[in-house]
């Protein structure tokens, strides 16, 4: 399905509302609400996770078609280990199965897949599938698909701090050399532009330890839909909303490049 066919209920073509020149390069998503989606239907939570995979496949295609360059999704947080063992195991098996089934398609689309997070606690089977998927797609340069697993923003920042402290202790760097650029270069997202847009589904208005450093100036879009109900149309709605934002980065964009003094004289 092409972008042209994304028609909303009032028969408006949503794709016409999108300025193709200002599509966010990097979109990050907190895919939330799988469990509630299933529970509402009287189904086990695992059904929600399965359905969530279909949504992810749709959004991956949609973001690429729209012209985004990077999609980063939160699939499993460092805090998600506190869930019942049965659900954690289900998710681990789901990651393995989905990756095995989808990796060839991802590769054919010239998409590079990268896993962000501490992979060490995962079973060897999953670690092997992850590493072979990453090496298969490592030269692909059409699109970057980051999957955050056992990821926590605070843990990532603490690790960078520890690494820089060690480098400083060993004399490799001077403490005065620690700046944003150096810090950035040690993050798991090193070399990747910060997301311009963060989408969270299920109506929750929190970051839940996701990309704390990288989201410093991202626009945030909250959808009340549960992740399994989210779709390409809703994604485009988020993009239209993003394009209506005034990104000031601490400046005063409304002055339209007039200096502060100019604006004082003309008022
Ligand atoms: C998001 O859905 C998926 C993961 C965190 C793995 P949830 O499982 O958090 O679903 P809710 O929020 O309980 O409905
Ligand atoms: C955030 O969702 C983590 C993922 C989507 C993987 P959670 O459902 O774990 O977050 P909380 O518990 O609502 O903050
Ligand atoms: Mg949740």
């Amino acid at each position: 399905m092409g972008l042209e066919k994304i028609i909303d209920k009032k028969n408006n073509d949503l794709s016409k509302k999108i300025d193709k020149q200002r599509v966010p390069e990097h979109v990050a998503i907190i895919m939330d609400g799988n469990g509630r989606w299933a529970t509402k239907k009287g189904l086990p939570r695992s059904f929600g996770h399965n359905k969530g995979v279909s949504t992810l496949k749709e959004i991956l295609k949609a973001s690429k078609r729209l012209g985004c360059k990077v999609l980063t999704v939160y699939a499993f947080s460092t805090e998600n280990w506190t869930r019942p063992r049965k659900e954690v195991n289900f998710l681990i098996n789901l990651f393995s199965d989905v990756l095995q089934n989808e990796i060839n398609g991802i590769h054919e689309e010239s998409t590079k897949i990268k896993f962000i997070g501490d992979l060490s606690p995962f079973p060897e089977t999953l670690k092997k599938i992850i590493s072979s998927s990453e090496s298969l797609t490592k030269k692909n340069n059409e699109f970057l698909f980051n999957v955050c697993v056992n990821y926590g923003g605070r843990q990532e920042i603490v690790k960078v701090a520890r690494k820089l402290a060690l480098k400083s202790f060993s004399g490799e760097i001077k403490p005065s050399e620690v700046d944003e650029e150096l810090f950035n270069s040690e993050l798991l997202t090193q070399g990747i532009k910060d997301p311009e847009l963060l989408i969270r589904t299920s109506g929750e208005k929190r970051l839940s330890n996701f990309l704390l450093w990288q989201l410093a100036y991202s626009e945030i879009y909250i959808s009340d839909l549960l992740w399994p109900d989210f779709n390409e149309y809703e994604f485009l709605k988020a993009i239209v909303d993003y394009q209506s934002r005034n990104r000031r980065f601490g400046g005063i964009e409304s002055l339209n490049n007039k200096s502060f003094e100019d604006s004082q004289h003309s008022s």
Side-chain angles (χ1 to χ4, degrees):
M1 189 167 50
L3 242 191
E4 316 73 46
K5 298 209 180 112
I6 305 298
I7 311 287
D8 71 13
K9 292 174 194 90
K10 289 183 203 124
N11 224 16
N12 291 320
D13 187 346
L14 199 52
S15 62
K16 285 206 185 103
K17 291 188 186 158
I18 293 179
D19 176 353
K20 305 282 180 336
Q21 307 305 314
R22 290 193 305 122
V23 165
E25 215 172 279
H26 183 177
V27 178
I29 307 185
I30 302 176
M31 311 181 287
D32 198 15
N34 292 351
R36 275 166 284 170
W37 181 89
T39 306
K40 268 171 72 177
K41 291 185 159 12
L43 299 165
R45 289 174 59 86
S46 56
F47 280 63
H49 296 311
N50 281 332
K51 184 71 171 45
V53 173
S54 314
T55 307
L56 177 56
K57 281 161 66 177
E58 180 173 340
I59 300 307
L60 176 60
K61 283 209 179 88
S63 57
K64 202 176 165 197
R65 191 158 40 215
L66 188 64
C68 302
K69 290 287 164 212
V70 186
L71 179 71
T72 301
V73 297
Y74 207 6
F76 192 88
S77 76
T78 44
E79 290 70 33
N80 288 147
W81 295 105
T82 60
R83 295 187 178 199
R85 192 68 222 176
K86 230 177 117 190
E87 180 164 346
V88 170
N89 287 343
F90 177 86
L91 285 168
I92 290 174
N93 287 330
L94 184 66
F95 298 152
S96 299
D97 293 348
V98 172
L99 196 51
Q100 244 162 348
N101 292 338
E102 302 298 329
I103 194 59
N104 288 333
I106 288 175
H107 185 44
E108 276 160 22
E109 290 268 303
S110 197
T111 292
K112 175 177 175 173
I113 193 164
K114 189 172 156 21
F115 285 80
I116 294 180
D118 175 10
L119 303 181
S120 60
F122 290 122
E124 283 309 314
T125 43
L126 177 59
K127 281 195 263 191
K128 274 198 190 123
I129 301 167
I130 287 180
S131 109
S132 63
S133 304
E134 286 185 334
S135 45
L136 176 71
T137 61
K138 70 169 186 265
K139 294 208 176 95
N140 294 346
N141 52 18
E142 278 287 305
F143 193 86
L144 174 62
F145 177 37
N146 294 314
V147 185
C148 296
V149 282
N150 191 26
Y151 173 85
R154 283 193 173 179
Q155 291 84 338
E156 180 186 29
I157 290 170
V158 166
K159 265 193 186 158
V160 173
R162 192 181 300 144
K163 205 163 177 184
L164 294 177
L166 280 168
K167 280 190 177 175
S168 163
F169 185 72
S170 70
E172 204 179 313
I173 57 165
K174 293 197 200 90
S176 60
E177 282 167 6
V178 177
D179 58 10
E180 283 188 27
E181 202 186 330
L182 186 65
F183 206 93
N184 229 336
S185 72
E186 297 288 355
L187 289 167
L188 296 168
T189 51
Q190 170 262 324
I192 305 167
K193 188 181 180 194
D194 289 341
E196 292 100 320
L197 173 65
L198 168 74
I199 298 173
R200 181 168 189 154
T201 56
S202 88
E204 304 295 358
K205 298 173 186 69
R206 53 178 170 263
L207 293 179
S208 301
N209 205 11
F210 190 43
L211 300 175
L212 298 182
W213 172 283
Q214 297 85 343
L215 294 174
Y217 254 109
S218 308
E219 295 299 323
I220 300 175
Y221 180 87
I222 308 285
S223 166
D224 285 330
L225 291 178
L226 303 170
W227 178 248
D229 288 328
F230 198 73
N231 56 33
E232 176 164 19
Y233 175 71
E234 296 297 327
F235 180 74
L236 294 186
K237 252 169 68 181
I239 303 294
V240 170
D241 191 80
Y242 161 81
Q243 292 190 334
S244 73
R245 309 279 181 94
N246 186 354
R247 304 193 77 199
R248 288 185 291 278
F249 298 101
I252 318 174
E253 207 269 337
S254 58
L255 289 180
N256 281 335
N257 298 328
K258 267 199 277 175
S259 71
F260 177 67
E261 285 73 22
D262 287 347
S263 77
Q264 294 298 295
H265 290 310
S266 60
S267 61

